[in-house]
Amino acid sequence: MSVGKLRRLIFATILFGVSSCNLFMGPHNGGGADTTSHNWTFTIDTLGDGASDLYDVAIVSTNPPVAYAVGEINVLDSVGNWENPFYNLAGWDGGNWSLQRVPYYYQGQPYYHPIQSVFSFGPREIWLCGNGVIYWDGSTFAPVPVPTAVWGQYQMNKIWGTGSSNIYVVGNGGSAAMYTSGSWQKVISNITLDIRDIWGSPDGSQILAVASNDEGSKFLSIQGTTVTTVSDSGLGSSLYGVWFVPNQKYYAVGAGISWKHRLTDRVWNTYAPGVVTSYVSESVAGNDTSDVFVVGDSFEMVHYNGRSWHNYKDMIPLSYGVLGKVAIKGNLMIAVGFTGIGQKAIAVIGRRQN
């Protein structure tokens, strides 16, 4: 698979320093000593010439810096026509983005469609999904076909796993599947809601997911091919992201930021609108319970350091668009989505200063 022509499609590269405003001392403080710095600087990169969006991002390593973002990236050629097909994968080397077209296959024939999710176990173990599942082994993109009896017709939204022999995919219409020892099994969710996100403990002993659409929302626990619902008392009306450290802190975000210390706690705690965030939250990720980012609509981005929340909204000089996914590894954070009336893909790259 040849790599797309290296190009730096950066329409805005803006560096900001952290301010000291918008701090909130929350009721679930981490205790003072175990805190991390709110002092981050951010670079904003936009990719594509329009009708573009990045749906997910994975940080592979921080030294050297390597990350992959996926979605749909449309570029104009030298005479002003849209290149066909579009790009669906963007690789980042710490400074530049390189664009690539990764095909799906149907009956042996390649076709191009947006990639919805990316998950990394290292530079030679990258998993992608959307209209199917694709695996990168460091040299080749290869399809990992999911039988129709296992998945069906719905779009895949998110991929997660503990290793390349233990993968979960979730998607629209309550669809879910598990890949173990080289074969796929159907995960029966007994819901028709769109499963938006999935996250689990490193050993796979706890795997949680959130589902939401116009019909409502559910918080789910997955064990093998069995799905059960977790109490949603106190949760907002919509759920888009989940992240947790087992038996320490569980986060669910959407119409607010909700949290609990134990999964068995009956009621979720939720910040009222305007306390930490003012817009819908789309994604949550962390290094630990004292180092958590939440991103969402109108480029809102907040950080919890173990004691307080800091809102960086005033540091992102953009008003129309969404940060739909966030990833963090060490002192590097990347949030992706789209911006502008013409809808260019965006990546906000954060680097902790101390």
Side-chain angles (χ1 to χ4, degrees):
M1 181 62 58
S2 62
V3 176
K5 180 181 179 182
L6 180 64
R7 62 184 74 202
R8 185 168 174 80
L9 297 172
I10 307 303
F11 294 86
T13 301
I14 310 170
L15 189 66
F16 296 93
V18 69
S19 64
S20 60
C21 62
N22 298 327
L23 286 173
F24 171 71
M25 301 293 286
H28 74 305
N29 294 344
D34 184 23
T35 60
T36 55
S37 174
H38 285 313
N39 187 8
W40 291 74
T41 57
F42 302 99
T43 301
I44 302 174
D45 293 347
T46 58
L47 292 77
D49 296 312
S52 300
D53 196 351
L54 293 175
Y55 302 134
D56 199 10
V57 60
I59 299 173
V60 178
S61 65
T62 59
N63 186 22
V66 176
Y68 292 100
V70 295
E72 178 179 354
I73 307 163
N74 285 282
V75 176
L76 295 171
D77 62 21
S78 59
V79 296
N81 297 318
W82 292 110
E83 293 188 13
N84 186 24
F86 52 76
Y87 297 92
N88 54 10
L89 176 69
W92 183 71
D93 63 4
N96 297 314
W97 291 93
S98 59
L99 302 184
Q100 188 164 351
R101 301 177 176 98
V102 178
Y104 297 96
Y105 285 87
Y106 179 70
Q107 295 182 346
Q109 298 301 310
Y111 70 97
Y112 295 88
H113 195 270
I115 296 174
Q116 299 291 327
S117 183
V118 54
F119 196 82
S120 167
F121 299 110
R124 297 183 181 277
E125 289 186 278
I126 310 294
W127 288 79
L128 311 168
C129 76
N131 268 31
V133 176
I134 302 168
Y135 176 64
W136 165 257
D137 64 2
S139 60
T140 304
F141 288 101
V144 186
V146 185
T148 302
V150 171
W151 189 262
Q153 62 182 341
Y154 291 102
Q155 173 184 282
M156 298 172 175
N157 291 331
K158 201 71 170 72
I159 190 166
W160 174 89
T162 60
S164 288
S165 61
N166 185 38
I167 298 290
Y168 282 83
V169 178
V170 295
N172 289 348
S175 297
M178 177 179 66
Y179 181 77
T180 57
S181 302
S183 65
W184 289 98
Q185 298 180 60
K186 188 177 183 65
V187 176
I188 307 297
S189 68
N190 293 318
I191 64 171
T192 58
L193 301 173
D194 299 337
I195 306 179
R196 307 281 189 172
D197 197 14
I198 182 172
W199 184 259
S201 59
D203 63 359
S205 60
Q206 283 191 344
I207 304 171
L208 304 177
V210 290
S212 185
N213 60 19
D214 293 341
E215 300 174 1
S217 60
K218 292 288 184 181
F219 195 95
L220 308 173
S221 175
I222 303 173
Q223 291 292 323
T225 58
T226 301
V227 179
T228 57
T229 58
V230 177
S231 172
D232 57 5
S233 178
L235 287 175
S237 58
S238 59
L239 296 174
Y240 298 124
V242 57
W243 179 86
F244 65 93
V245 175
N247 305 313
Q248 295 186 43
K249 188 70 66 63
Y250 297 84
Y251 282 99
V253 301
I257 299 174
S258 301
W259 59 274
K260 60 169 64 174
H261 288 294
R262 293 175 298 275
L263 195 59
T264 54
D265 292 344
R266 187 179 66 84
V267 179
W268 290 82
N269 306 280
T270 300
Y271 293 109
V275 175
V276 175
T277 56
S278 300
Y279 304 93
V280 171
S281 297
E282 302 280 348
S283 179
V284 55
N287 282 315
D288 205 339
T289 58
S290 61
D291 199 9
V292 179
F293 267 97
V294 176
V295 302
D297 294 4
S298 297
F299 304 107
E300 193 162 55
M301 182 167 54
V302 297
H303 177 249
Y304 183 68
N305 73 343
R307 175 179 288 184
S308 63
W309 288 94
H310 189 105
N311 193 314
Y312 301 94
K313 176 67 176 69
D314 60 340
M315 299 170 61
I316 309 297
L318 303 167
S319 57
Y320 178 80
V322 172
L323 293 174
K325 281 292 185 289
V326 62
I328 181 173
K329 185 184 287 289
N331 295 321
L332 177 66
M333 182 279 303
I334 303 178
V336 297
F338 71 88
T339 179
I341 301 301
Q343 194 167 316
K344 296 171 182 176
I346 187 172
V348 178
I349 300 163
R351 297 175 174 88
R352 195 186 337 251
Q353 298 304 295
N354 56 41

